[in-house]
Amino acid sequence: MTTPFALHAARIVERRLEAEDIHSFVTRFVDPEVRRKFTFAPGQFNMLYAYGVGEVPISIVSDPADPTRLEHTIRIAGRVTAVMTGWQVGDVIGIRGPYGKGWPLDSARGREVVIVTGGLGCAPVVGVINYIFRRREEFGTLHILHGVKTPNDLLYRERFDAWRLHPRTRVYLTADQPDKSWHYRVGVVTNLFDELVVSPTAVAMMCGPEAMMRAAIRSLRRKGIAEEAIFLSLERNMQCAFGLCGHCQLGPLFFCKDGPVFAYPQVKRWFGVSGI
């Protein structure tokens, strides 16, 4: 693999508007040797660099089995990402990584998998969903529970449509503020748990607002799923990505190198405590 400390040039080969102020960029490393050696696990992130402006941590969305397409989804929410919204196909950007620990796919093999997401929280789990579909015989039934505020906030709409067609796959969608175009459930994502029938041996993977994840954990526990089988992808202010600057520290943990994916017992002590 390439050293994660180096910044590599990558060219944008595809750009998509997913929703208002949310863009997906597919890139390809300019150096063929970097492209060949770059490997990552679903759930890891890269630092994306806008030359002359700065860099931000962004989850990798693409499948690690396809090294020709390295995809990230970006919400425009600050000085650096505001510049990124101007990126076009053919532009060259900087990428360093990958960083952090990904989803526990080895321990999920042979078991049902429950994925719970809210809003843009879907982005970090798109890679793991694609990973499971490419190796479908290795995993049990896949349950995808996703909630949005409005129908316009539904990212990857075409992917949800495609996912629900796969065997042994159930997709559950809900919106807090539906319109006439919405044909799924109404309300918060935890309302979907009344439809969920799942084995207590399942593995759960979650990403999204922490209030949503706290409620989802309670629902999963009521279905008999062990705390050790619940994994969370969490966000903090990750800047150096090496565990040196301390901006993303939580107790003894650094989100950039010990996370962003954690088993729930690792963070339970602090999870939901305001101000940290």
Side-chain angles (χ1 to χ4, degrees), residues 56-258:
V56 291
I58 303 292
S59 297
I60 306 171
V61 176
S62 47
D63 191 309
D66 183 1
T68 65
R69 295 171 57 89
L70 188 60
E71 183 172 349
H72 303 81
T73 296
I74 300 172
R75 179 194 293 274
I76 308 306
R79 178 179 58 87
V80 178
T81 53
V83 172
M84 293 175 173
T85 192
W87 284 350
Q88 302 297 328
V89 172
D91 288 350
V92 175
I93 67 172
I95 295 177
R96 63 181 176 96
Y99 297 109
K101 295 180 179 177
W103 299 104
L105 290 165
D106 286 341
S107 62
R109 281 186 169 80
R111 301 160 71 177
E112 288 188 66
V113 178
V114 181
I115 291 177
V116 186
T117 64
L120 190 59
C122 185
V125 298
V126 168
V128 76
I129 293 171
N130 290 332
Y131 183 94
I132 290 173
F133 281 143
R134 289 194 176 205
R135 301 154 185 85
R136 195 66 193 89
E137 72 286 354
E138 300 178 18
F139 297 88
T141 299
L142 174 62
H143 305 268
I144 303 170
L145 289 74
H146 182 57
V148 293
K149 185 175 182 180
T150 73
N152 288 335
D153 298 323
L154 182 61
L155 308 185
Y156 314 116
R157 186 180 296 266
E158 74 290 351
R159 298 190 193 190
F160 281 105
D161 292 338
W163 292 337
R164 69 175 71 252
L165 299 178
H166 283 261
R168 295 184 295 121
T169 303
R170 295 202 62 186
V171 176
Y172 314 73
L173 298 175
T174 187
D176 287 348
Q177 300 174 16
D179 59 21
K180 292 182 178 178
S181 69
W182 190 253
H183 304 295
Y184 308 103
R185 291 283 298 271
V186 176
V188 297
V189 76
T190 48
N191 290 351
L192 298 172
F193 279 87
D194 60 8
E195 296 182 49
L196 179 66
V197 178
V198 65
S199 167
T201 63
V203 172
M205 306 178 191
M206 292 193 283
C207 191
E210 291 190 4
M212 178 211 78
M213 289 195 283
R214 288 197 299 273
I217 289 169
R218 291 193 292 271
S219 297
L220 290 165
R221 296 289 292 126
R222 284 195 290 270
K223 291 185 179 294
I225 296 176
E227 290 184 346
E228 292 75 12
I230 299 173
F231 295 84
L232 320 172
S233 181
L234 300 175
E235 290 187 358
R236 287 296 187 275
N237 181 18
M238 297 186 289
Q239 294 196 9
C240 72
F242 302 139
L244 295 178
C245 73
H247 282 86
C248 65
Q249 187 170 5
L250 179 67
L253 304 171
F254 293 86
F255 278 55
C256 62
K257 68 183 184 72
D258 299 313

